[in-house]
Amino acid sequence: QVQLVESGGGLVQAGGSLRLSCAASGSIFSINDMGWYRQAPGKQRELVAAQNTRGTTNYADSVKGRFTISRDNAKNTVYLQMNNLKVEDTAVYYCNADINRNGRYSTYYWGQGTQVTVSS
């Protein structure tokens, strides 16, 4: 079994900061891409940021310059530093990881989600 456990969500005022963490545990051979998605009420889930094993990052245009994704491969953990938060960043944030459990093929796993609420 593989688990992704997120932490760090909460309530913050506009202009504030939060740092999300997501730790993968269980039977893991290797992890490829890791990333963060979010889903606001009534909207589709969207990519926020992702990072591959080489360190290459990809950000949604709406968060560029404000959010930073990073990972600690030794800890199988990915982080999302969110600065200058806006009301429109309010959503449930989900961790996503492409995990290889057996050295043959990989599968995408999701965390349970953590709520981020930005007040005006």
Coordinates of all heavy atoms in Angstrom, one line a residue, residues 17-116:
S17 N 0.8 33.8 3.9 CA 1.5 32.6 3.3 C 1.1 31.3 4.1 O 0.7 31.4 5.2 CB 3.1 32.8 3.5 OG 3.5 33.9 2.8
L18 N 1.3 30.2 3.3 CA 1.1 28.9 3.9 C 2.1 28.0 3.2 O 2.5 28.2 2.1 CB -0.3 28.4 3.7 CG -1.5 28.9 4.6 CD1 -2.8 28.3 4.0 CD2 -1.3 28.5 6.0
R19 N 2.5 26.9 3.9 CA 3.3 25.9 3.4 C 2.7 24.5 3.5 O 2.4 24.1 4.6 CB 4.7 25.9 4.0 CG 5.7 25.0 3.3 CD 6.9 24.8 4.2 NE 8.1 24.2 3.5 CZ 9.0 23.5 4.0 NH1 8.9 23.2 5.3 NH2 10.0 23.0 3.3
L20 N 2.4 23.9 2.4 CA 1.8 22.6 2.4 C 2.9 21.5 2.3 O 3.9 21.8 1.6 CB 0.9 22.4 1.2 CG -0.3 23.4 1.1 CD1 -1.2 23.1 -0.1 CD2 -1.1 23.5 2.3
S21 N 2.7 20.4 2.9 CA 3.6 19.3 2.8 C 2.9 18.0 2.5 O 1.7 17.9 2.8 CB 4.3 19.0 4.2 OG 5.1 20.2 4.6
C22 N 3.5 17.1 1.8 CA 2.9 15.9 1.4 C 4.0 14.8 1.5 O 5.0 14.9 0.7 CB 2.3 15.9 0.0 SG 1.8 14.3 -0.6
A23 N 3.8 13.8 2.3 CA 4.7 12.7 2.5 C 4.2 11.4 2.0 O 3.0 11.1 2.3 CB 5.1 12.6 4.0
A24 N 4.9 10.8 1.1 CA 4.5 9.5 0.6 C 5.2 8.4 1.5 O 6.3 8.5 1.9 CB 5.0 9.3 -0.8
S25 N 4.4 7.4 1.8 CA 4.9 6.3 2.6 C 4.3 4.9 2.1 O 3.3 4.9 1.3 CB 4.5 6.5 4.0 OG 3.1 6.5 4.2
G26 N 4.9 3.9 2.5 CA 4.5 2.5 2.1 C 5.5 1.8 1.3 O 6.7 2.1 1.3
S27 N 5.0 0.9 0.4 CA 5.9 0.1 -0.4 C 6.2 0.9 -1.7 O 5.5 1.0 -2.7 CB 5.1 -1.1 -0.8 OG 5.9 -1.9 -1.7
I28 N 7.4 1.6 -1.6 CA 7.8 2.5 -2.7 C 9.2 2.1 -3.2 O 10.1 2.0 -2.5 CB 7.8 4.0 -2.2 CG1 6.4 4.4 -1.8 CG2 8.4 4.9 -3.3 CD1 6.4 5.8 -1.1
F29 N 9.2 1.9 -4.6 CA 10.5 1.6 -5.2 C 11.1 2.9 -5.6 O 12.3 3.2 -5.4 CB 10.3 0.7 -6.4 CG 11.5 0.4 -7.2 CD1 12.4 -0.6 -6.7 CD2 11.8 1.0 -8.3 CE1 13.6 -0.9 -7.4 CE2 13.0 0.8 -9.0 CZ 13.9 -0.2 -8.6
S30 N 10.4 3.8 -6.3 CA 10.9 5.1 -6.7 C 9.7 6.0 -7.0 O 8.5 5.5 -7.1 CB 11.7 5.0 -7.9 OG 11.0 4.5 -9.0
I31 N 9.9 7.3 -7.0 CA 8.9 8.3 -7.2 C 9.3 9.2 -8.4 O 10.4 9.7 -8.4 CB 8.6 9.2 -6.0 CG1 8.1 8.3 -4.8 CG2 7.5 10.2 -6.4 CD1 7.8 9.1 -3.6
N32 N 8.5 9.3 -9.4 CA 8.8 10.2 -10.5 C 8.2 11.6 -10.3 O 8.7 12.2 -9.3 CB 8.2 9.5 -11.8 CG 8.7 8.1 -12.0 OD1 9.9 7.9 -11.9 ND2 7.8 7.2 -12.4
D33 N 7.3 12.0 -11.0 CA 6.7 13.4 -10.8 C 6.0 13.4 -9.5 O 5.3 12.5 -9.1 CB 5.7 13.7 -11.9 CG 6.4 13.9 -13.3 OD1 7.7 13.8 -13.3 OD2 5.7 14.1 -14.3
M34 N 6.1 14.6 -8.9 CA 5.2 14.9 -7.7 C 4.6 16.3 -7.9 O 5.3 17.2 -8.5 CB 6.0 14.9 -6.4 CG 6.6 13.6 -6.0 SD 7.4 13.6 -4.4 CE 6.0 13.3 -3.4
G35 N 3.4 16.5 -7.5 CA 2.8 17.8 -7.7 C 1.6 18.1 -6.8 O 1.2 17.3 -6.0
W36 N 1.1 19.3 -7.1 CA -0.1 19.7 -6.3 C -1.2 20.1 -7.3 O -0.9 20.8 -8.3 CB 0.3 20.9 -5.4 CG 1.2 20.6 -4.3 CD1 2.6 20.6 -4.3 CD2 0.8 20.1 -3.0 NE1 3.1 20.2 -3.1 CE2 2.0 19.9 -2.3 CE3 -0.4 19.9 -2.4 CZ2 2.0 19.4 -1.0 CZ3 -0.4 19.4 -1.1 CH2 0.8 19.2 -0.4
Y37 N -2.4 19.8 -7.0 CA -3.6 20.2 -7.7 C -4.5 20.8 -6.7 O -4.4 20.7 -5.5 CB -4.3 19.0 -8.4 CG -3.6 18.4 -9.5 CD1 -2.4 17.7 -9.4 CD2 -4.1 18.5 -10.8 CE1 -1.7 17.1 -10.5 CE2 -3.4 18.0 -11.9 CZ -2.3 17.3 -11.7 OH -1.6 16.7 -12.8
R38 N -5.5 21.6 -7.2 CA -6.5 22.1 -6.4 C -7.9 22.1 -7.0 O -8.0 22.1 -8.3 CB -6.1 23.6 -6.0 CG -6.2 24.6 -7.1 CD -5.7 25.9 -6.6 NE -5.7 26.9 -7.7 CZ -5.2 28.1 -7.6 NH1 -4.6 28.5 -6.5 NH2 -5.2 29.0 -8.6
Q39 N -8.9 22.1 -6.2 CA -10.3 22.1 -6.7 C -11.1 23.1 -5.8 O -11.2 22.8 -4.6 CB -10.9 20.7 -6.7 CG -12.2 20.6 -7.3 CD -12.6 19.2 -7.6 OE1 -12.1 18.3 -7.0 NE2 -13.6 19.0 -8.5
A40 N -11.6 24.1 -6.5 CA -12.5 25.0 -5.8 C -13.9 24.6 -6.0 O -14.2 23.9 -6.9 CB -12.2 26.4 -6.4
P41 N -14.8 25.0 -5.1 CA -16.2 24.6 -5.3 C -16.8 25.0 -6.6 O -16.6 26.1 -7.1 CB -16.9 25.4 -4.2 CG -15.9 25.7 -3.2 CD -14.6 25.8 -3.9
G42 N -17.4 24.0 -7.3 CA -18.0 24.2 -8.6 C -17.0 24.3 -9.7 O -17.5 24.5 -10.9
K43 N -15.8 24.0 -9.5 CA -14.8 24.0 -10.5 C -14.1 22.7 -10.7 O -14.1 21.9 -9.8 CB -13.8 25.1 -10.3 CG -14.3 26.5 -10.3 CD -13.2 27.6 -10.2 CE -13.8 29.0 -10.3 NZ -12.7 30.0 -10.3
Q44 N -13.4 22.5 -11.8 CA -12.7 21.3 -12.1 C -11.3 21.3 -11.3 O -10.8 22.4 -11.0 CB -12.4 21.1 -13.6 CG -13.7 20.7 -14.3 CD -13.3 20.4 -15.8 OE1 -12.4 20.8 -16.3 NE2 -14.1 19.5 -16.3
R45 N -10.8 20.2 -11.0 CA -9.5 20.1 -10.4 C -8.5 20.6 -11.4 O -8.5 20.2 -12.6 CB -9.2 18.7 -10.0 CG -8.0 18.5 -9.1 CD -7.8 17.1 -8.6 NE -8.9 16.7 -7.7 CZ -9.0 15.6 -7.0 NH1 -7.9 14.8 -7.0 NH2 -10.0 15.3 -6.2
E46 N -7.5 21.4 -11.0 CA -6.5 21.9 -11.9 C -5.1 21.8 -11.3 O -4.9 21.7 -10.1 CB -6.8 23.4 -12.1 CG -6.7 24.3 -10.9 CD -6.8 25.8 -11.2 OE1 -7.0 26.2 -12.3 OE2 -6.8 26.6 -10.2
L47 N -4.1 21.7 -12.2 CA -2.8 21.6 -11.8 C -2.3 22.9 -11.2 O -2.6 24.0 -11.8 CB -1.9 21.2 -13.0 CG -0.4 21.3 -12.7 CD1 0.1 20.2 -11.8 CD2 0.4 21.2 -14.0
V48 N -1.6 22.9 -10.1 CA -1.0 24.1 -9.5 C 0.5 24.1 -9.8 O 1.0 25.1 -10.3 CB -1.3 24.1 -8.0 CG1 -0.6 25.3 -7.3 CG2 -2.8 24.1 -7.6
A49 N 1.1 23.0 -9.4 CA 2.6 23.0 -9.7 C 3.0 21.5 -9.6 O 2.4 20.7 -9.0 CB 3.3 23.7 -8.6
A50 N 4.1 21.2 -10.4 CA 4.6 19.9 -10.4 C 6.1 19.9 -10.6 O 6.7 20.9 -11.1 CB 4.0 19.1 -11.5
Q51 N 6.8 18.9 -10.1 CA 8.2 18.8 -10.3 C 8.6 17.4 -10.5 O 8.2 16.4 -9.9 CB 8.9 19.3 -9.0 CG 10.4 19.4 -9.1 CD 11.0 20.1 -7.9 OE1 10.6 19.8 -6.7 NE2 12.0 21.0 -8.1
N52 N 9.6 17.2 -11.5 CA 10.0 15.9 -11.8 C 11.3 15.6 -11.0 O 11.8 16.4 -10.2 CB 10.2 15.7 -13.3 CG 11.3 16.6 -13.9 OD1 12.1 17.1 -13.2 ND2 11.2 16.7 -15.2
T53 N 11.9 14.4 -11.2 CA 13.0 14.0 -10.5 C 14.3 14.8 -10.8 O 15.2 14.9 -10.0 CB 13.3 12.5 -10.7 OG1 13.5 12.3 -12.1 CG2 12.2 11.6 -10.1
R54 N 14.3 15.4 -12.0 CA 15.4 16.3 -12.4 C 15.3 17.7 -11.8 O 16.2 18.5 -12.0 CB 15.5 16.3 -13.9 CG 15.8 15.0 -14.5 CD 16.0 15.1 -16.0 NE 14.8 15.6 -16.7 CZ 13.7 14.8 -17.0 NH1 13.7 13.5 -16.7 NH2 12.7 15.3 -17.6
G55 N 14.2 18.0 -11.2 CA 14.0 19.3 -10.6 C 13.3 20.3 -11.5 O 13.0 21.4 -11.1
T56 N 12.9 19.8 -12.7 CA 12.2 20.7 -13.6 C 10.8 20.9 -13.0 O 10.1 20.0 -12.6 CB 12.0 20.0 -15.0 OG1 13.3 19.8 -15.5 CG2 11.3 20.9 -16.0
T57 N 10.3 22.2 -13.0 CA 9.1 22.5 -12.5 C 8.1 23.1 -13.5 O 8.5 23.5 -14.6 CB 9.2 23.6 -11.4 OG1 9.9 24.8 -12.0 CG2 10.1 23.1 -10.2
N58 N 6.8 23.0 -13.2 CA 5.8 23.5 -14.0 C 4.7 24.1 -13.1 O 4.3 23.5 -12.2 CB 5.2 22.3 -14.8 CG 4.0 22.7 -15.8 OD1 4.1 23.8 -16.3 ND2 3.1 21.8 -16.0
Y59 N 4.3 25.3 -13.5 CA 3.4 26.1 -12.6 C 2.2 26.5 -13.5 O 2.3 26.9 -14.6 CB 4.0 27.3 -12.0 CG 5.1 27.0 -11.0 CD1 6.4 27.0 -11.3 CD2 4.7 26.8 -9.7 CE1 7.4 26.7 -10.4 CE2 5.7 26.6 -8.7 CZ 7.0 26.5 -9.1 OH 8.0 26.3 -8.1
A60 N 1.0 26.6 -12.8 CA -0.1 27.3 -13.4 C 0.2 28.7 -13.5 O 0.9 29.3 -12.6 CB -1.4 27.1 -12.6
D61 N -0.3 29.4 -14.6 CA 0.0 30.8 -14.8 C -0.5 31.6 -13.6 O 0.2 32.6 -13.2 CB -0.7 31.3 -16.1 CG 0.0 30.8 -17.3 OD1 1.2 30.4 -17.2 OD2 -0.6 30.8 -18.4
S62 N -1.6 31.2 -13.0 CA -2.2 32.0 -11.9 C -1.3 32.0 -10.6 O -1.6 32.9 -9.8 CB -3.6 31.5 -11.6 OG -3.5 30.1 -11.2
V63 N -0.4 31.1 -10.5 CA 0.4 31.1 -9.3 C 1.9 31.4 -9.5 O 2.7 31.4 -8.6 CB 0.3 29.7 -8.6 CG1 -1.2 29.4 -8.4 CG2 1.0 28.6 -9.4
K64 N 2.3 31.6 -10.7 CA 3.7 31.9 -11.0 C 4.2 33.1 -10.3 O 3.5 34.1 -10.3 CB 3.9 32.0 -12.5 CG 3.9 30.7 -13.3 CD 4.1 31.0 -14.8 CE 4.1 29.7 -15.6 NZ 4.2 29.9 -17.0
G65 N 5.3 33.0 -9.7 CA 5.9 34.1 -8.9 C 5.4 34.2 -7.5 O 5.9 35.0 -6.7
R66 N 4.4 33.4 -7.2 CA 3.8 33.4 -5.8 C 4.0 32.1 -5.1 O 4.3 32.0 -3.9 CB 2.3 33.8 -5.8 CG 2.0 35.1 -6.4 CD 0.6 35.5 -6.2 NE -0.3 34.5 -6.9 CZ -1.3 33.8 -6.3 NH1 -1.4 33.9 -5.0 NH2 -2.1 33.0 -7.0
F67 N 3.9 31.0 -5.8 CA 4.1 29.6 -5.3 C 5.4 29.0 -5.7 O 5.8 29.2 -6.8 CB 2.9 28.7 -5.7 CG 1.6 29.1 -5.2 CD1 1.3 30.3 -4.5 CD2 0.5 28.2 -5.4 CE1 0.1 30.6 -4.0 CE2 -0.8 28.5 -4.9 CZ -1.0 29.7 -4.3
T68 N 5.9 28.2 -4.8 CA 7.2 27.5 -5.1 C 7.0 26.0 -4.7 O 6.7 25.8 -3.5 CB 8.4 28.1 -4.4 OG1 8.5 29.5 -4.8 CG2 9.7 27.4 -4.8
I69 N 7.3 25.1 -5.6 CA 7.2 23.7 -5.3 C 8.7 23.2 -5.1 O 9.6 23.7 -5.8 CB 6.5 22.9 -6.4 CG1 6.3 21.4 -6.0 CG2 7.3 23.0 -7.7 CD1 5.5 20.6 -6.9
S70 N 8.8 22.3 -4.1 CA 10.1 21.7 -3.9 C 9.9 20.3 -3.3 O 8.8 20.0 -2.9 CB 10.9 22.6 -2.9 OG 10.3 22.6 -1.6
R71 N 10.9 19.5 -3.4 CA 10.8 18.1 -2.9 C 12.1 17.7 -2.2 O 13.2 18.2 -2.5 CB 10.4 17.2 -4.0 CG 11.3 17.2 -5.2 CD 10.7 16.4 -6.4 NE 10.7 15.0 -6.2 CZ 10.2 14.1 -7.1 NH1 9.6 14.6 -8.2 NH2 10.2 12.8 -6.9
D72 N 11.9 16.8 -1.2 CA 13.0 16.2 -0.5 C 12.9 14.7 -0.9 O 12.1 13.9 -0.3 CB 12.9 16.4 1.0 CG 14.1 15.8 1.7 OD1 14.7 14.9 1.2 OD2 14.3 16.3 2.8
N73 N 13.7 14.3 -1.9 CA 13.6 12.9 -2.4 C 14.0 11.9 -1.3 O 13.4 10.8 -1.3 CB 14.5 12.7 -3.6 CG 14.0 13.5 -4.8 OD1 12.8 13.7 -5.0 ND2 14.9 14.1 -5.6
A74 N 14.8 12.2 -0.4 CA 15.2 11.3 0.7 C 14.1 11.0 1.6 O 14.0 10.0 2.2 CB 16.4 11.8 1.5
K75 N 13.2 12.0 1.7 CA 12.0 11.8 2.6 C 10.7 11.6 1.8 O 9.6 11.5 2.4 CB 11.8 13.1 3.4 CG 12.9 13.4 4.4 CD 12.7 14.7 5.2 CE 13.8 15.0 6.2 NZ 13.5 16.2 7.0
N76 N 10.8 11.4 0.5 CA 9.6 11.2 -0.3 C 8.5 12.2 0.0 O 7.4 11.9 0.1 CB 9.1 9.8 -0.1 CG 9.9 8.7 -0.6 OD1 10.8 8.9 -1.5 ND2 9.8 7.5 0.0
T77 N 9.0 13.5 0.1 CA 8.1 14.5 0.5 C 8.2 15.7 -0.6 O 9.2 16.0 -1.1 CB 8.5 15.1 1.9 OG1 8.3 14.0 2.8 CG2 7.6 16.2 2.3
V78 N 7.0 16.3 -0.8 CA 6.9 17.4 -1.7 C 6.3 18.6 -0.9 O 5.4 18.3 -0.1 CB 6.1 17.1 -3.0 CG1 4.7 16.7 -2.7 CG2 6.2 18.3 -4.0
Y79 N 6.7 19.8 -1.2 CA 6.2 20.9 -0.5 C 5.7 21.9 -1.5 O 6.0 22.0 -2.7 CB 7.4 21.6 0.3 CG 8.1 20.7 1.2 CD1 9.3 20.1 0.8 CD2 7.6 20.5 2.5 CE1 10.0 19.2 1.7 CE2 8.3 19.6 3.4 CZ 9.5 19.0 3.0 OH 10.2 18.2 3.8
L80 N 4.8 22.8 -1.0 CA 4.3 23.9 -1.8 C 4.3 25.1 -0.9 O 3.5 25.2 0.1 CB 2.9 23.6 -2.3 CG 2.3 24.7 -3.3 CD1 3.1 24.7 -4.6 CD2 0.8 24.5 -3.6
Q81 N 5.2 26.0 -1.2 CA 5.2 27.3 -0.4 C 4.4 28.3 -1.2 O 4.6 28.6 -2.4 CB 6.7 27.8 -0.4 CG 6.8 29.2 0.3 CD 6.4 29.1 1.8 OE1 6.9 28.2 2.5 NE2 5.7 30.1 2.3
M82 N 3.4 28.8 -0.5 CA 2.4 29.7 -1.1 C 2.5 31.1 -0.4 O 2.2 31.2 0.8 CB 1.0 29.1 -0.9 CG 0.8 27.7 -1.5 SD -0.9 27.1 -1.4 CE -1.1 27.0 0.3
N83 N 2.9 32.0 -1.2 CA 3.1 33.4 -0.7 C 2.1 34.3 -1.4 O 1.6 34.0 -2.5 CB 4.5 33.9 -1.0 CG 5.5 33.1 -0.2 OD1 5.3 32.6 0.9 ND2 6.7 33.0 -0.8
N84 N 1.8 35.5 -0.8 CA 0.9 36.5 -1.4 C -0.4 35.8 -1.8 O -0.9 36.0 -2.9 CB 1.6 37.2 -2.6 CG 0.8 38.4 -3.0 OD1 0.0 38.9 -2.3 ND2 1.0 38.8 -4.3
L85 N -1.0 35.1 -0.9 CA -2.2 34.3 -1.2 C -3.3 35.3 -1.5 O -3.5 36.4 -0.9 CB -2.6 33.4 -0.1 CG -1.7 32.1 0.0 CD1 -1.8 31.5 1.4 CD2 -2.3 31.1 -1.0
K86 N -4.2 34.8 -2.5 CA -5.3 35.6 -2.9 C -6.6 34.8 -2.6 O -6.6 33.6 -2.4 CB -5.3 35.9 -4.4 CG -4.0 36.6 -4.8 CD -4.0 36.8 -6.3 CE -2.7 37.5 -6.8 NZ -2.7 37.7 -8.2
V87 N -7.7 35.5 -2.5 CA -9.0 34.9 -2.2 C -9.3 33.8 -3.2 O -9.8 32.7 -2.8 CB -10.1 35.9 -2.2 CG1 -11.5 35.3 -2.1 CG2 -9.9 36.9 -1.1
E88 N -8.9 34.0 -4.4 CA -9.2 33.0 -5.5 C -8.3 31.8 -5.4 O -8.5 30.8 -6.1 CB -9.0 33.6 -6.9 CG -7.7 34.4 -7.1 CD -7.9 35.9 -6.8 OE1 -8.6 36.3 -5.9 OE2 -7.3 36.7 -7.6
D89 N -7.3 31.8 -4.4 CA -6.6 30.5 -4.2 C -7.3 29.6 -3.3 O -6.8 28.5 -3.0 CB -5.2 30.9 -3.5 CG -4.3 31.7 -4.5 OD1 -4.2 31.3 -5.7 OD2 -3.6 32.6 -4.0
T90 N -8.4 30.0 -2.7 CA -9.2 29.1 -1.8 C -9.7 27.9 -2.6 O -10.3 28.0 -3.7 CB -10.4 29.9 -1.3 OG1 -10.0 31.0 -0.5 CG2 -11.3 29.0 -0.5
A91 N -9.3 26.7 -2.0 CA -9.6 25.5 -2.7 C -9.2 24.3 -1.7 O -8.5 24.6 -0.8 CB -8.9 25.3 -4.0
V92 N -9.5 23.1 -2.1 CA -8.9 21.9 -1.5 C -7.7 21.6 -2.4 O -7.8 21.5 -3.6 CB -9.9 20.7 -1.5 CG1 -9.2 19.5 -0.9 CG2 -11.1 21.1 -0.7
Y93 N -6.6 21.5 -1.7 CA -5.3 21.2 -2.4 C -5.0 19.7 -2.2 O -5.0 19.2 -1.1 CB -4.2 22.0 -1.9 CG -4.3 23.5 -2.4 CD1 -5.3 24.3 -1.9 CD2 -3.4 24.0 -3.3 CE1 -5.4 25.6 -2.4 CE2 -3.4 25.3 -3.7 CZ -4.5 26.1 -3.3 OH -4.5 27.4 -3.8
Y94 N -4.7 19.1 -3.4 CA -4.4 17.6 -3.4 C -3.0 17.4 -3.9 O -2.5 18.0 -4.8 CB -5.3 16.9 -4.4 CG -6.8 17.0 -4.0 CD1 -7.6 18.0 -4.4 CD2 -7.3 16.0 -3.1 CE1 -9.0 18.0 -4.1 CE2 -8.7 16.0 -2.8 CZ -9.5 17.0 -3.3 OH -10.8 17.1 -2.9
C95 N -2.3 16.5 -3.2 CA -1.0 16.0 -3.6 C -1.1 14.9 -4.5 O -2.1 14.1 -4.4 CB -0.2 15.6 -2.3 SG 1.3 14.8 -2.6
N96 N -0.2 14.8 -5.5 CA -0.3 13.8 -6.5 C 1.2 13.3 -6.8 O 2.1 14.1 -6.8 CB -0.9 14.4 -7.8 CG -0.9 13.4 -9.0 OD1 0.0 13.4 -9.8 ND2 -1.9 12.5 -9.0
A97 N 1.3 12.0 -6.9 CA 2.7 11.5 -7.1 C 2.6 10.2 -8.0 O 1.7 9.4 -7.9 CB 3.3 11.1 -5.8
D98 N 3.6 10.2 -8.9 CA 3.7 9.0 -9.8 C 4.7 8.1 -9.2 O 5.9 8.3 -9.2 CB 4.2 9.5 -11.2 CG 4.3 8.4 -12.2 OD1 3.7 7.4 -12.0 OD2 5.1 8.6 -13.2
I99 N 4.2 7.0 -8.6 CA 5.0 6.1 -7.8 C 5.1 4.7 -8.4 O 4.2 4.1 -8.8 CB 4.3 6.0 -6.4 CG1 4.3 7.4 -5.7 CG2 5.1 4.9 -5.5 CD1 3.6 7.4 -4.3
N100 N 6.4 4.3 -8.4 CA 6.8 3.0 -8.9 C 6.9 2.1 -7.6 O 7.8 2.3 -6.8 CB 8.0 3.0 -9.7 CG 8.4 1.8 -10.4 OD1 8.2 0.7 -9.8 ND2 8.9 1.8 -11.6
R101 N 6.1 1.0 -7.5 CA 6.2 0.2 -6.3 C 7.0 -1.1 -6.5 O 7.4 -1.7 -5.6 CB 4.7 -0.2 -5.9 CG 3.9 0.9 -5.5 CD 2.5 0.4 -5.1 NE 2.6 -0.5 -4.0 CZ 1.7 -1.3 -3.5 NH1 0.5 -1.3 -4.2 NH2 1.9 -2.1 -2.5
N102 N 7.3 -1.4 -7.8 CA 7.9 -2.7 -8.0 C 9.0 -2.7 -9.0 O 9.5 -3.8 -9.4 CB 6.8 -3.7 -8.5 CG 6.1 -3.1 -9.7 OD1 6.6 -2.3 -10.4 ND2 4.9 -3.6 -9.9
G103 N 9.4 -1.5 -9.5 CA 10.5 -1.5 -10.4 C 10.1 -1.7 -11.9 O 11.0 -1.7 -12.8
R104 N 8.8 -1.9 -12.1 CA 8.4 -2.2 -13.4 C 7.5 -1.1 -14.0 O 7.7 -0.7 -15.2 CB 7.6 -3.6 -13.5 CG 8.5 -4.8 -13.1 CD 7.8 -6.1 -13.5 NE 6.5 -6.2 -12.8 CZ 6.3 -6.8 -11.6 NH1 7.4 -7.2 -10.9 NH2 5.1 -7.0 -11.1
Y105 N 6.5 -0.7 -13.3 CA 5.6 0.3 -13.8 C 5.2 1.2 -12.7 O 5.3 0.9 -11.5 CB 4.4 -0.3 -14.5 CG 3.6 -1.2 -13.6 CD1 2.6 -0.6 -12.8 CD2 3.8 -2.5 -13.6 CE1 1.8 -1.5 -12.0 CE2 3.1 -3.3 -12.8 CZ 2.1 -2.8 -12.0 OH 1.3 -3.6 -11.2
S106 N 4.7 2.4 -13.0 CA 4.3 3.4 -12.0 C 2.8 3.7 -12.1 O 2.2 3.5 -13.2 CB 5.1 4.7 -12.1 OG 4.9 5.3 -13.4
T107 N 2.3 4.2 -11.0 CA 0.9 4.6 -10.9 C 0.7 5.9 -10.2 O 1.5 6.2 -9.3 CB 0.1 3.5 -10.1 OG1 0.3 2.2 -10.7 CG2 -1.4 3.8 -10.1
Y108 N -0.2 6.7 -10.6 CA -0.4 8.0 -9.9 C -1.3 7.8 -8.7 O -2.3 7.1 -8.7 CB -1.1 9.0 -10.8 CG -0.2 9.7 -11.8 CD1 0.0 9.2 -13.1 CD2 0.6 10.8 -11.4 CE1 0.9 9.8 -14.0 CE2 1.5 11.4 -12.2 CZ 1.6 10.9 -13.5 OH 2.5 11.5 -14.4
Y109 N -0.9 8.4 -7.6 CA -1.6 8.3 -6.3 C -2.0 9.7 -5.9 O -1.3 10.7 -6.3 CB -0.8 7.7 -5.2 CG -0.5 6.2 -5.4 CD1 0.5 5.8 -6.2 CD2 -1.4 5.2 -4.8 CE1 0.8 4.4 -6.4 CE2 -1.1 3.9 -5.0 CZ -0.1 3.5 -5.8 OH 0.1 2.1 -6.0
W110 N -3.1 9.8 -5.1 CA -3.6 11.1 -4.7 C -3.7 11.1 -3.1 O -3.9 10.1 -2.5 CB -5.0 11.3 -5.2 CG -5.1 11.6 -6.6 CD1 -5.3 10.6 -7.6 CD2 -5.0 12.8 -7.3 NE1 -5.4 11.2 -8.8 CE2 -5.1 12.6 -8.7 CE3 -4.7 14.1 -6.9 CZ2 -5.1 13.6 -9.6 CZ3 -4.7 15.1 -7.8 CH2 -4.8 14.9 -9.2
G111 N -3.4 12.3 -2.6 CA -3.6 12.5 -1.2 C -5.1 12.7 -0.9 O -5.9 12.8 -1.8
Q112 N -5.4 12.9 0.4 CA -6.8 13.0 0.8 C -7.3 14.5 0.6 O -8.5 14.8 0.6 CB -7.0 12.6 2.2 CG -6.6 13.6 3.3 CD -5.1 13.7 3.5 OE1 -4.3 13.0 2.8 NE2 -4.7 14.6 4.4
G113 N -6.4 15.4 0.4 CA -6.7 16.8 0.3 C -6.6 17.6 1.6 O -6.9 17.1 2.6
T114 N -6.2 18.9 1.4 CA -6.2 19.8 2.6 C -6.8 21.1 2.2 O -6.5 21.6 1.1 CB -4.7 19.9 3.1 OG1 -4.7 20.7 4.3 CG2 -3.8 20.6 2.0
Q115 N -7.6 21.6 3.0 CA -8.4 22.8 2.7 C -7.5 24.1 2.9 O -6.8 24.2 4.0 CB -9.6 23.0 3.6 CG -10.4 24.2 3.4 CD -11.1 24.3 2.0 OE1 -11.7 23.3 1.6 NE2 -11.0 25.4 1.3
V116 N -7.5 24.9 1.9 CA -6.8 26.2 2.1 C -7.9 27.3 1.8 O -8.6 27.3 0.8 CB -5.7 26.4 1.0 CG1 -5.2 27.9 1.0 CG2 -4.6 25.5 1.3

